[in-house]
Amino acid sequence: MNSIPPTWEKRADADGAVCIPSRLSAVWQPGWLDVGRPDAVPVAEGGRQAAWFVDGAHGAAVLRHYRRGGLRARLGRASYLWLGEARVRSFAEVRVLAHLCQAGVRVPEPLAAAYWRQGLFYRAAILIARIPQARTLAHRLVAADPQAVARAIFAMHEAGVWHADLNAFNILFDAQDRVWLIDFDRARLGVVSSEQRRKNRLRLRRSLVKVVGARAVPWWDALDSSYRQLS
């Protein structure tokens, strides 16, 4: 399996590698993935304190350094076991995003990804295009169209992608009220079974109930009904 999409290029050194779309090759700068860059503004919501809004030759973007959550964070929040370049989390997420973009699913465009090795472990980062004036489903559930969200999730599944954490904060609406799906860390490419599709929707239901409360249930019921009609 290729570690990067076909239209991308990789630049390696002794410590690791970075991959970028060929269209950005002429303007690429290593500082794009540096959290110390002067324009970096921390993302207030989500991101495990490891995401920043940035701007530059790549356009408005979000820089994210990978961090563990939950009990696994005790093993080291920023370090992952090296299992080969094809298993690097940032490269894997780029492959999924590039695939979905090619399939016409509305997801942020990937702009760069990198990893840095240290012995048996590595750190990773990804740069993705920022969605202008985006608001999460969690913050606009009352005004959100469940049918539009159902169509977005269905399109993702039909494109052969299973989302590892489909929740109320990973579904966004832009200024034109279009639905976007984000955060494809640990997503899987391949045929998505009916059970996997159902579990993705149920994961979203649990998230909505946790964030919004019982009033989220009728909204989710409408989404689920719309999704099943598409199947």
Side-chain angles (χ1 to χ4, degrees):
M1 177 176 62
N2 291 331
S3 61
I4 64 174
T7 58
W8 284 51
E9 59 185 64
K10 183 177 69 174
R11 303 182 182 186
D13 59 29
D15 298 322
V18 62
C19 66
I20 54 174
S22 297
R23 69 174 187 84
L24 293 176
S25 178
V27 296
W28 157 254
Q29 295 290 333
W32 285 7
L33 296 167
D34 183 1
V35 298
R37 53 187 292 180
D39 63 323
V41 177
V43 174
E45 183 178 73
R48 293 175 180 161
Q49 294 78 53
W52 297 262
F53 295 128
V54 294
D55 207 342
H58 48 65
V62 177
L63 169 63
R64 190 174 87 244
H65 279 233
Y66 288 73
R67 294 286 186 274
R68 294 180 184 274
L71 294 175
R72 292 185 177 182
R74 297 178 181 178
L75 301 175
R77 285 182 60 83
S79 296
Y80 298 87
L81 181 65
W82 176 258
L83 297 171
E85 188 172 85
R87 299 282 296 276
V88 168
R89 291 174 77 144
S90 56
F91 280 26
E93 187 166 357
V94 157
R95 292 195 301 271
V96 171
L97 288 170
H99 170 80
L100 287 171
C101 286
Q102 183 68 28
V105 181
R106 196 172 286 119
V107 297
E109 180 189 5
L111 302 172
Y115 67 86
W116 301 274
R117 287 192 64 182
Q118 186 172 15
L120 296 176
F121 298 90
Y122 74 94
R123 296 178 296 107
I126 191 171
L127 185 72
I128 61 173
R130 183 177 179 181
I131 302 166
Q133 303 178 52
R135 297 191 64 194
T136 67
L137 176 60
H139 286 129
R140 67 178 316 279
L141 183 67
V142 174
D145 179 1
Q147 293 183 349
V149 177
R151 287 194 295 268
I153 297 171
F154 184 79
M156 173 186 70
H157 288 158
E158 286 294 285
V161 173
W162 173 83
H163 198 294
D165 189 20
L166 190 64
N167 64 50
F169 296 97
N170 288 336
I171 299 174
L172 304 183
F173 295 82
D174 63 18
Q176 287 75 46
D177 222 27
R178 295 175 299 185
V179 181
W180 296 75
L181 304 178
I182 65 168
D183 194 357
F184 286 86
D185 182 26
R186 298 182 295 114
R188 298 176 192 165
L189 272 170
V191 176
V192 186
S193 69
S194 297
E195 181 63 13
Q196 288 174 319
R197 293 175 184 231
R198 187 182 71 88
K199 287 183 176 180
N200 260 183
R201 302 197 304 277
L202 289 175
R203 171 71 182 91
L204 177 58
R205 185 185 191 276
R206 291 193 298 272
S207 172
L208 288 169
V209 171
K210 181 178 180 180
V211 173
V212 182
R215 63 191 177 94
V217 175
W219 188 94
W220 183 88
D221 287 341
L223 176 147
D224 193 54
S225 176
S226 296
Y227 185 100
R228 286 186 280 108
Q229 289 175 18
L230 293 168
S231 302

